[in-house]
Amino acid sequence: MWIANNWKDYQVIDCSCGEKLERWGKYILLRPDPQVIWDTPKKDKSWKKLNGHYHRSSKGGGEWEFFDLPQEWSINYTLPINKTLTFNLKPFSFKHTGLFPEQATNWDWFSEKIKKAGRPIKVLNLFAYTGGATLAAAAAGASVTHVDASKGMVAWAKENAVSSGLGDAPIRWIVDDCVKFVEREIRRGNHYDAIIMDPPSYGRGPKGEIWKIEEAVYPLIKLCAQLLTEKPLFFLVNSYTTGLQPAVLTYMISTALKEFDGTTTSNEIGLPVSATGLVLPCGASGRFEGK
């Protein structure tokens, strides 16, 4: 398992009974997590010192309950290349805060690859959300094209770039349906040295386009292969869908990128849990590394 264990401003304190207890900076949040199917004793004092609690509804969705939590605050993450990123957080619909901290294990990996590449690197980040991967790549010196269907998420990502001292970095901010953008880039003849994609299990594009990951992700990976340069640096696919296990990611990426010289490895990603010394699984990632 690839573990995001270099955080200072974030921590999974404990998890039990379908919920995880987290520290985001100095604030304690309790949020649902479907992976937490165990019932372990809640011994840590933080269980009773919450700043925010997301209650899931039996009808689907849910709502936040706040106890002395600001509308917005920020946390930092320092990459192994000695660059610090700043993320602006705010609790919003469906339990999210604007960041998936487990992805730091991937930021560490590809920021070092970009830094050591010894050549200019162009990165395409699809389903780019609030820009964690975009900022990690830009901090390492890459030129990044950031694509997300949500105008609000792209605006949030721009705020994070400014907070991270990357407001003037070579980042193209694109609000678009990711598949349609890739198709247009192919027609334009554009190419990238690295591609990152973090597709949702289910979603809708800006014009109501339906996205189901099981049906759509492999065709998109094959499309993206057409955008790669002759010697790609890396290709990263993240999955939070239980059906897309690491071996499935390896098979898809290896098949779609078979014409390129490199290796594909996939693994679960996770976060350490302070109370138990165990690791909370948080999805999977597939990584192609060019030779």
Side-chain angles (χ1 to χ4, degrees), residues 72-149:
E72 187 170 327
W73 72 103
S74 63
I75 63 173
N76 298 321
Y77 183 77
T78 301
L79 297 163
I81 57 171
N82 204 28
K83 299 278 188 177
T84 298
L85 308 177
T86 298
F87 300 103
N88 301 303
L89 307 176
K90 47 195 171 195
F92 69 110
S93 61
F94 197 65
K95 78 179 181 179
H96 294 167
T97 62
L99 189 66
F100 291 94
E102 60 274 9
Q103 286 299 326
T105 186
N106 286 320
W107 306 339
D108 289 353
W109 169 71
F110 67 69
S111 64
E112 289 189 302
K113 287 194 71 65
I114 292 167
K115 192 75 173 178
K116 295 173 182 175
R119 57 187 170 104
I121 298 297
K122 284 177 61 182
V123 176
L124 174 61
N125 185 15
L126 300 171
F127 310 96
Y129 195 51
T130 57
T134 294
L135 302 188
S143 301
V144 186
T145 298
H146 173 111
V147 186
D148 197 280

Side-chain angles (χ1 to χ4, degrees), residues 38-57:
W38 46 87
D39 177 2
T40 48
K42 300 177 180 179
K43 294 180 180 178
D44 194 284
K45 293 180 294 184
S46 298
W47 284 100
K48 297 179 181 177
K49 295 182 178 179
L50 304 179
N51 295 101
H53 186 183
Y54 187 89
H55 299 275
R56 190 179 290 289
S57 167

Side-chain angles (χ1 to χ4, degrees), residues 21-72:
L21 182 68
E22 305 163 291
R23 177 179 62 83
W24 297 80
K26 63 181 181 179
Y27 300 106
I28 306 298
L29 301 183
L30 185 59
R31 301 189 297 158
D33 190 310
Q35 301 277 21
V36 182
I37 60 174
W38 46 87
D39 177 2
T40 48
K42 300 177 180 179
K43 294 180 180 178
D44 194 284
K45 293 180 294 184
S46 298
W47 284 100
K48 297 179 181 177
K49 295 182 178 179
L50 304 179
N51 295 101
H53 186 183
Y54 187 89
H55 299 275
R56 190 179 290 289
S57 167
S58 58
K59 299 175 184 176
E63 62 181 5
W64 282 98
E65 180 182 12
F66 297 124
F67 316 93
D68 192 27
L69 184 72
Q71 288 187 327
E72 187 170 327

Side-chain angles (χ1 to χ4, degrees), residues 3-268:
I3 302 170
N5 54 7
N6 293 322
W7 278 99
K8 302 288 190 294
D9 282 1
Y10 173 83
Q11 175 188 13
V12 179
I13 302 168
D14 199 3
C15 45
S16 180
C17 301
E19 295 182 304
K20 60 184 172 186
L21 182 68
E22 305 163 291
R23 177 179 62 83
W24 297 80
K26 63 181 181 179
Y27 300 106
I28 306 298
L29 301 183
L30 185 59
R31 301 189 297 158
D33 190 310
Q35 301 277 21
V36 182
I37 60 174
W38 46 87
D39 177 2
T40 48
K42 300 177 180 179
K43 294 180 180 178
D44 194 284
K45 293 180 294 184
S46 298
W47 284 100
K48 297 179 181 177
K49 295 182 178 179
L50 304 179
N51 295 101
H53 186 183
Y54 187 89
H55 299 275
R56 190 179 290 289
S57 167
S58 58
K59 299 175 184 176
E63 62 181 5
W64 282 98
E65 180 182 12
F66 297 124
F67 316 93
D68 192 27
L69 184 72
Q71 288 187 327
E72 187 170 327
W73 72 103
S74 63
I75 63 173
N76 298 321
Y77 183 77
T78 301
L79 297 163
I81 57 171
N82 204 28
K83 299 278 188 177
T84 298
L85 308 177
T86 298
F87 300 103
N88 301 303
L89 307 176
K90 47 195 171 195
F92 69 110
S93 61
F94 197 65
K95 78 179 181 179
H96 294 167
T97 62
L99 189 66
F100 291 94
E102 60 274 9
Q103 286 299 326
T105 186
N106 286 320
W107 306 339
D108 289 353
W109 169 71
F110 67 69
S111 64
E112 289 189 302
K113 287 194 71 65
I114 292 167
K115 192 75 173 178
K116 295 173 182 175
R119 57 187 170 104
I121 298 297
K122 284 177 61 182
V123 176
L124 174 61
N125 185 15
L126 300 171
F127 310 96
Y129 195 51
T130 57
T134 294
L135 302 188
S143 301
V144 186
T145 298
H146 173 111
V147 186
D148 197 280
S150 167
K151 187 176 181 180
M153 290 300 146
V154 174
W156 193 341
K158 286 182 183 179
E159 292 173 15
N160 287 337
V162 171
S163 297
S164 299
L166 295 166
D168 295 325
I171 303 171
R172 278 203 304 160
W173 305 101
I174 308 290
V175 179
D176 202 351
D177 175 79
C178 288
V179 176
K180 290 182 178 176
F181 178 79
V182 168
E183 289 171 342
R184 278 200 299 277
E185 287 290 86
I186 292 169
R187 291 196 293 271
R188 293 176 187 131
N190 288 337
H191 291 89
Y192 296 87
D193 304 287
I195 295 176
I196 300 164
M197 65 170 75
D198 204 346
S201 298
Y202 179 86
R204 289 182 182 272
K207 294 181 180 176
E209 303 92 340
I210 299 292
W211 167 276
K212 291 183 180 178
I213 193 168
E214 296 90 341
E215 300 169 4
V217 69
Y218 183 60
L220 180 57
I221 294 171
K222 287 197 293 182
L223 274 179
C224 286
Q226 298 178 51
L227 289 179
L228 290 171
T229 51
E230 289 183 6
K231 292 191 173 182
L233 185 66
F234 70 87
F235 195 114
L236 171 66
V237 181
N238 294 311
S239 167
Y240 289 91
T241 305
T242 51
L244 292 184
Q245 297 163 344
V248 177
L249 292 174
T250 295
Y251 203 105
M252 287 193 298
I253 296 168
S254 299
T255 305
L257 273 61
K258 60 180 182 293
E259 67 184 272
F260 299 101
D261 193 14
T263 56
T264 302
T265 52
S266 301
N267 213 334
E268 286 186 275

